[in-house]
């Protein structure tokens, strides 16, 4: 269970107190804040302890949100403590009241949660009343102020005085009770929490208004949490994922190194200003159907509870930045929004994968278990959820389905956005699977972005103003925009950044080509790396820029985890004289390149892909040096320890092959012919990686389709040609491969015609005719049909 059963206020109002749990808040807060929470044995007055609890929660960064517009059947949704304090760190006034009351129980204070209704049809409100004249403990021994659990009107003390009369009007007032308006401890948009004394004044005003004829509120109910916890256990505590793991990451991340040129222009660095574009308004309308309906937007009709949108565009067109800005905008409206931390999975092709041939079975890893637990937790989040999957076309269909399957179980508004460079077979397969499995999720929004923003001049100027010293002119790059029609949004941003950060005396004019632009930015980046290496290693070692370029290309091709960098760089050979050991260099680069998307690589991706193509053109053997080889099997008699080590190494190799397939395929956007040559080189030096390349080509097409054709023509090809003759007819990318496989599997005719299997030959000829027709060879197809007849 990752969420709570909704509170049925109408038929079971007394159950509100069951949602107040002791011994929870301290476990969910960071250690520094948890240590500040007062305990029952700490010194100080009851009001000082209450103030301590309030100020700790105010420092927790909780954001106030309104109750979801779409509530589940059977009552009001209440957030468990982990959603208020850890992730998503959001809460309504009643969510905040329940958490605050639980922390007060831990401090030995006696809380009552009071719900008041508006006389003007405004939403209800919740405050917490604390008894300052006694202390609470689970073991009992001291009676509470009222002796009952539920009060539908303000209770009275034994003396006959109403609790309203005994409230303190402020922190310096007199009275046995203090009312805390806990909404004040949360952030409201960009407005910080209110101080303790203001929350006390506001709590007093709200409750005393219930006794005034012209007051704005009336008392609905009061639930004495102290009495309830002594009488029975509270709600079962929902499970939550490990504190170190979050299935959604923030849309804009704190940069690890603010001075790195490439870090500054990354989409999720938060440094590059977002410029208005119509696609953002379309996404917001699609995400929030209620707001769209109020605005009479024609773009939204009946929107399902779980909606799926797909944003496509070439690398650098602005997909990631658009999705990040959508997250930021919706988060400001109370959504839990972010990028899904996807666990990249290996794609298998039938039984012919290298690991299957070796009898290796992959057990779920701890990472996988954490990821699934995180999805289960996300399915119970009360806030509306926006989940973005970047590079969805590079995720396995099974993983995307698992994500959608769990999100489809949610009771609240959910939107999922996939970004991809293009639609393709991967999306058709996903649509078919969604229809087959009847998940209740359908793709109801598709946005195709142009190569660059509709107003490139404004993008340039705003970016230039962001990074340039005051008083600098916009530079030659601005006037060159009109002639650079094939440039992307990223290219415009990069050119503006370059103009803004180039000293006037060193300005040699704007780059004329994208390659020149990327080369100049990479030169700046490697200059920064040089300084970082010298500073970190105390000027004991140096690495040339040319060497750093090879290192950058190496990391970009396979995107290793930080603990794999030493091994990956070791494939380049021993460090040259004066260079640091690969382990030392890896430590520095790990700090420069690490980011939420995983793996160390030169990013933004189009610039990293250009670097890879450039360095492989200069050194054709680089791919052979970088790509890992399959580890040697330890044999059937190997110990479990050695077998596990082998399986870990094998999975690491397969992940790096998969990454290489993806990055080489994406590089075709910059130089298709060179990317095709690189794909052919990959399969030439590592033919055993064909299952991964075939899986990729089946889903996305691309340059590995032609590379597989070359591999299929080799006399020693490892490809299962008989199986490949069954490639789906009309497949957009693999028609050529299907033809090669068909041509290579012609039945062998015996010397005696009477022993020939003429039916098999006719079937093969018919298949050959179909394959020839698919590739446009009508003459050859007709000849094959005639021969079959």
């Amino acid at each position: 269970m990752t969420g709570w059963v909704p509170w049925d206020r109408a038929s079971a109002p007394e159950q509100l107190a069951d949602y107040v749990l002791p011994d929870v808040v301290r476990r969910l807060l960071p250690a520094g804040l948890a240590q500040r929470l007062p305990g029952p044995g700490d010194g100080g007055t009851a009001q000082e302890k209450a103030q301590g609890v309030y100020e700790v929660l105010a420092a927790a960064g909780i954001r106030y949100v309104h109750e979801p517009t779409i509530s589940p059947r059977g009552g009001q949704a209440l957030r468990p403590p982990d959603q208020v304090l850890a992730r998503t760190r959001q809460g309504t006034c009643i969510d905040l009241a329940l958490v605050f009351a639980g922390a007060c129980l831990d401090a030995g204070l006696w809380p009552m949660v009071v719900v008041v209704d508006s006389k003007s049809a405004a939403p209800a409100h919740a405050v917490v009343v604390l008894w300052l004249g006694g202390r609470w403990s689970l073991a009992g021994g001291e009676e509470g102020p009222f002796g009952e659990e539920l009060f539908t009107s303000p209770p009275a003390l034994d003396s006959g005085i109403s609790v309203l009369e005994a409230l303190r009007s402020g922190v310096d007032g007199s009275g046995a009770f203090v009312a805390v308006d806990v909404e004040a401890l949360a952030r409201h948009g960009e407005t910080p929490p209110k101080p303790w004394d203001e929350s006390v004044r506001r709590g007093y005003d709200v409750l005393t208004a219930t006794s005034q004829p012209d007051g704005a509120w009336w008392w609905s109910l009061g639930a004495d949490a102290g009495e309830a916890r002594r009488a029975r256990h509270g709600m079962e505590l929902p499970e939550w994922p490990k504190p170190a793991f979050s299935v959604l990451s923030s849309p804009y991340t704190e940069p690890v190194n603010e001075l790195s040129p490439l870090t500054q222009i990354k989409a999720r660095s938060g440094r590059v200003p977002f410029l208005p574009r119509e696609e953002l308004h379309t996404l917001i309308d699609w995400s929030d159907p209620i707001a769209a309906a109020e605005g009479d937007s024609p773009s939204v009709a009946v929107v399902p509870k779980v909606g799926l949108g797909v944003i496509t565009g070439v690398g650098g067109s602005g997909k990631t930045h658009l999705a990040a800005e959508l997250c930021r905008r919706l988060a400001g409206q109370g959504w839990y929004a972010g990028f899904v931390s996807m666990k990249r999975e290996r794609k298998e092709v039938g039984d012919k994968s290298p690991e299957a041939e070796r009898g290796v079975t992959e057990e779920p890893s701890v990472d996988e278990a954490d990821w699934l637990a995180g999805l289960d937790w996300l399915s119970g989040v009360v806030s509306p959820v926006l989940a973005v999957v970047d590079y969805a076309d590079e995720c396995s269909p099974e993983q995307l389905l698992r994500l959608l399957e769990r999100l489809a179980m949610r009771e609240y508004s959910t939107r999922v956005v996939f970004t991809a460079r293009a639609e393709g077979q991967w999306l058709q397969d996903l649509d078919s699977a969604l229809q087959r499995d009847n998940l209740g999720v359908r793709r109801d929004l598709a946005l195709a972005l142009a190569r660059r923003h509709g107003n490139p001049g404004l993008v340039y100027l705003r970016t230039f103003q962001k990074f340039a010293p005051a008083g600098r002119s916009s530079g030659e790059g601005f006037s060159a925009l009109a002639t650079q029609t094939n440039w992307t949004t990223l290219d415009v941003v990069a050119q503006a950044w370059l103009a803004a950060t180039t000293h006037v005396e060193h300005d040699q004019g704007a780059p004329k080509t994208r390659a020149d632009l990327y080369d100049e930015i990479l030169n700046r980046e490697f200059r920064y790396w040089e300084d970082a290496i010298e500073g970190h290693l105390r000027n004991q070692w140096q690495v040339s820029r040319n060497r750093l370029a090879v290192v950058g290309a190496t990391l970009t091709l396979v995107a290793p985890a930080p603990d794999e960098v030493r091994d990956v760089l070791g494939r380049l050979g021993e460090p040259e004289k004066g260079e640091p050991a690969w382990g030392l260099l890896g430590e520095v680069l790990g700090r420069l390149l690490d980011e939420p998307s995983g793996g160390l690589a030169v990013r933004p991706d189009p610039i990293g892909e250009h670097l890879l193509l450039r360095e492989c053109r200069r050194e054709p053997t680089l791919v052979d040096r970088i790509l890992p080889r399959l580890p040697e099997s330890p044999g059937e008699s190997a110990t479990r320890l050695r077998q596990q080590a082998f399986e870990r190494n094998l999975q690491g190799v397969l992940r790096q092959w998969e990454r290489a397939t993806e990055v080489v395929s994406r590089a075709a956007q910059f130089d298709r012919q060179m990317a095709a040559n690189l794909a052919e080189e990959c399969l030439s030096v590592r033919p055993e990686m064909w299952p991964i390349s075939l899986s990729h080509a089946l889903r996305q097409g691309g340059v590995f389709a032609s590379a597989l054709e070359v591999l299929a023509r080799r006399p020693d090809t490892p490809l299962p040609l008989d199986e490949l003759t069954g490639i789906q007819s009309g497949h957009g990318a693999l028609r050529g491969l299907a033809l090669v496989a068909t041509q290579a599997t012609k039945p062998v005719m015996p010397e005696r015609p009477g022993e020939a299997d003429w039916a098999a030959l006719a079937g093969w000829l018919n298949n050959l005719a179909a394959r020839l027709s698919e590739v446009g060879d009508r003459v050859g197809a007709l000849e094959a049909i005639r021969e079959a007849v």
Side-chain angles (χ1 to χ4, degrees):
M1 181 178 68
T2 62
W4 268 341
V5 175
W7 171 45
D8 191 343
R9 177 178 174 181
S11 60
E14 71 283 353
Q15 290 183 354
L16 178 62
D18 292 343
Y19 295 88
V20 177
L21 301 180
D23 194 31
V24 171
V25 173
R26 192 181 302 272
R27 294 159 54 191
L28 287 167
L29 289 173
L33 288 178
Q35 293 171 0
R36 291 168 49 189
L37 284 172
D42 294 347
T45 65
Q47 180 169 266
E48 289 171 344
K49 288 185 176 182
Q51 180 177 352
V53 171
Y54 179 93
E55 291 176 347
V56 166
L57 295 181
I62 305 168
R63 183 180 296 274
Y64 175 78
V65 293
H66 296 289
E67 183 181 354
T69 55
I70 302 175
S71 295
R73 295 182 298 273
Q76 179 174 348
L78 300 176
R79 288 172 175 80
D82 65 302
Q83 294 186 28
V84 179
L85 295 172
R87 298 179 300 268
T88 61
R89 287 195 298 177
Q90 296 175 336
T92 63
C93 57
I94 197 166
D95 299 327
L96 297 167
L98 298 174
V99 168
F100 179 77
C104 286
L105 290 176
D106 294 336
L109 302 174
W110 200 298
M112 176 170 60
V113 179
V114 179
V115 177
V116 294
D117 288 325
S118 170
K119 295 180 181 179
S120 61
H125 193 52
V127 298
V128 176
V129 174
L130 296 172
W131 181 36
L132 305 178
R135 61 189 302 272
W136 180 86
S137 66
L138 185 61
E142 187 171 338
E143 294 184 1
F146 306 116
E148 297 181 24
E149 287 187 30
L150 184 68
F151 304 92
T152 56
S153 61
L157 300 170
D158 291 340
S159 62
I161 297 176
S162 167
V163 66
L164 300 182
E165 298 176 88
L167 285 177
R168 294 187 176 185
S169 60
V171 293
D172 297 326
S174 60
F177 295 88
V178 62
V180 184
D181 186 351
V182 289
E183 181 187 317
L185 65 80
R187 298 183 62 87
H188 288 63
E190 300 302 319
T191 305
K194 300 294 189 293
W196 162 252
D197 56 352
E198 184 170 341
S199 73
V200 171
R201 287 195 301 270
R202 287 170 48 164
Y204 174 83
D205 292 340
V206 168
L207 289 190
T208 54
T210 62
S211 63
Q212 301 167 0
D214 58 347
W217 307 96
W218 66 61
W219 181 292
S220 177
L221 65 93
D224 192 320
E227 291 287 352
R229 284 298 68 71
R230 282 186 174 180
R232 62 188 179 280
H233 291 296
M235 293 290 294
E236 181 182 351
L237 190 64
E239 298 175 0
W240 57 74
K242 294 180 180 180
F245 178 78
S246 177
V247 72
L248 289 189
S249 61
S250 299
Y252 293 114
T253 59
E254 290 294 330
V256 177
N257 48 313
E258 294 186 359
L259 299 180
S260 163
L262 291 180
T263 294
Q264 294 182 50
I265 62 175
K266 288 177 184 175
R268 296 178 62 189
S269 70
R271 304 291 300 277
V272 177
F274 181 85
L275 272 297
R277 56 191 309 166
E278 186 61 35
E279 293 90 348
L280 178 62
H281 301 302
T282 300
L283 285 165
I284 291 175
D285 286 351
W286 166 76
S287 300
D288 194 343
I290 303 300
E294 291 174 353
D296 294 325
S297 172
S299 62
V300 178
V302 177
V303 179
K305 182 176 62 178
V306 180
L308 172 61
V310 179
I311 305 174
T312 55
V314 299
S317 59
K319 304 181 298 295
T320 302
H321 203 177
L322 175 62
E325 186 64 16
L326 176 65
C327 288
R328 189 188 71 83
R329 299 285 182 95
L330 292 186
Q333 300 175 20
W335 288 60
Y336 183 45
F339 281 62
V340 180
S341 302
M342 298 295 283
K343 179 182 180 294
R344 301 294 182 186
E345 292 184 326
R346 171 177 44 83
K347 293 93 172 175
E348 297 185 12
V349 183
D351 295 325
K352 295 294 184 178
S353 58
E355 67 277 14
E357 292 178 348
R358 290 165 173 75
V360 176
T361 57
E362 182 182 5
E363 299 178 356
S365 66
V366 174
D367 289 342
E368 175 78 358
D370 286 348
W371 188 75
L372 292 175
L375 290 184
D376 289 338
W377 173 85
L378 190 62
S379 68
V381 168
V382 173
S383 299
V385 165
L386 168 65
V388 175
V389 179
D390 218 7
Y391 292 116
D393 49 340
E394 295 178 359
C395 299
S396 72
E398 295 77 18
Q399 191 179 21
L400 295 176
L401 281 174
R402 279 204 297 272
L403 170 69
L404 295 172
E405 181 181 30
R406 279 165 169 77
L407 293 180
M409 297 186 295
R410 286 178 41 78
E411 292 285 344
Y412 313 97
S413 293
T414 307
R415 299 293 176 264
V416 183
V417 171
F418 291 167
T419 74
R421 291 205 174 181
E423 295 184 359
Q425 192 66 40
W426 73 274
L427 194 53
Q428 296 176 25
D429 292 345
L430 181 64
D431 287 338
S432 299
L434 290 174
Q435 185 175 6
R436 177 197 66 212
D437 296 346
N438 195 26
L439 296 182
V441 181
R442 62 182 175 86
R443 181 162 57 99
D444 50 5
L445 180 70
L447 286 179
L449 300 189
R451 291 183 64 86
R452 65 177 182 178
H453 192 283
N455 192 339
L458 186 59
V459 171
Y460 183 99
L461 289 175
R462 292 286 177 84
T463 305
F464 184 90
Q465 292 166 357
K466 173 71 176 181
F467 294 104
R472 285 280 301 275
S473 63
S474 58
E476 182 183 327
F478 180 73
S479 58
L481 288 176
T483 64
Q484 297 161 344
T485 55
N486 68 327
W487 286 31
T488 66
T489 303
L490 171 64
D491 299 337
V492 176
V493 168
Q495 181 151 287
W497 176 88
L498 194 62
T501 57
T502 299
H503 293 293
V504 176
E505 60 271 20
H506 298 151
D507 192 352
Q508 298 180 356
K512 298 298 187 291
T513 67
R514 297 177 70 203
D516 291 341
L517 173 65
Y518 289 0
D519 285 342
E520 180 57 32
I521 290 182
L522 285 168
N523 189 48
R524 299 275 194 96
E525 179 73 8
F526 295 143
R527 188 186 310 161
Y528 178 82
W529 288 15
E530 286 179 322
D531 294 341
I533 292 168
E534 292 178 9
H536 183 73
L537 302 181
R538 300 179 181 179
N539 296 316
Q540 297 180 5
W541 311 95
Q542 290 185 337
V543 185
S544 69
R545 257 174 242 179
N546 288 339
R547 184 71 157 172
L548 288 176
V550 173
V551 168
T554 299
L555 298 179
T556 299
L557 180 62
V558 295
D563 60 355
E564 298 172 329
V565 172
R566 179 177 179 179
D567 173 66
V568 169
L569 295 183
R571 299 168 196 164
L572 298 176
E574 293 297 321
E576 297 177 358
K577 184 178 180 180
E579 292 182 343
W582 293 128
L584 290 175
L585 182 60
E587 289 181 13
V588 180
L589 296 182
R591 299 181 183 185
L592 298 177
L593 299 175
D594 195 20
E595 62 175 50
S597 57
L600 304 185
V602 174
R603 298 184 178 92
D605 289 318
I607 298 178
E609 292 152 14
H610 164 72
L611 172 66
L612 175 66
L613 296 182
R614 188 187 78 182
E615 295 306 310
C616 288
R617 187 181 292 110
R618 292 175 176 175
E619 188 177 344
T621 63
L622 189 58
V623 168
D624 189 22
R625 297 167 63 190
I626 298 173
L627 287 178
R629 300 181 183 274
L630 285 172
E632 183 177 352
S633 174
E636 296 181 359
S637 61
T639 63
R640 182 61 179 167
L641 190 63
R642 294 190 180 189
Q643 185 68 19
Q644 288 176 339
F646 164 73
E647 292 177 5
R648 283 195 304 271
N649 292 338
L650 177 61
Q651 296 308 315
V653 169
L654 297 176
R655 281 194 297 271
Q656 291 185 26
W657 283 357
E658 192 170 309
R659 162 67 186 185
T661 302
E662 293 166 354
V663 72
V664 170
S665 297
R666 293 202 307 260
Q669 174 189 311
F670 196 87
D671 186 335
R672 185 171 185 83
Q673 185 57 57
M674 181 59 196
N677 294 342
L678 205 55
E680 183 180 334
E681 179 72 12
C682 288
L683 290 181
S684 174
V685 299
R686 299 293 183 274
E688 58 271 29
M689 69 183 279
W690 71 261
I692 290 173
S693 301
L694 178 59
S695 175
H696 183 91
L698 280 167
R699 292 181 295 108
Q700 297 187 53
V703 293
F704 275 91
S706 58
L708 286 164
E709 293 179 33
V710 174
L711 183 63
R713 292 190 179 97
R714 281 175 44 170
D716 60 342
T717 181
L719 294 177
L721 298 178
D722 285 335
E723 294 181 18
L724 295 180
T725 61
I727 290 174
Q728 180 183 353
S729 178
H731 192 287
L734 296 181
R735 299 171 184 173
L737 179 61
L739 174 60
V740 173
T742 301
Q743 291 171 329
T745 54
K746 179 180 180 179
V748 178
M749 299 304 294
E751 294 181 359
R752 299 179 181 178
E755 298 177 358
D757 187 346
W758 298 108
L761 178 60
W764 176 82
L765 286 168
N766 283 328
N767 190 24
L768 176 63
R771 295 304 187 184
L772 288 168
S773 178
E774 287 176 357
V775 299
D777 187 354
R778 307 297 182 187
V779 174
L782 184 58
E783 291 178 357
I785 291 175
R786 288 173 177 168
E787 186 176 351
V789 174

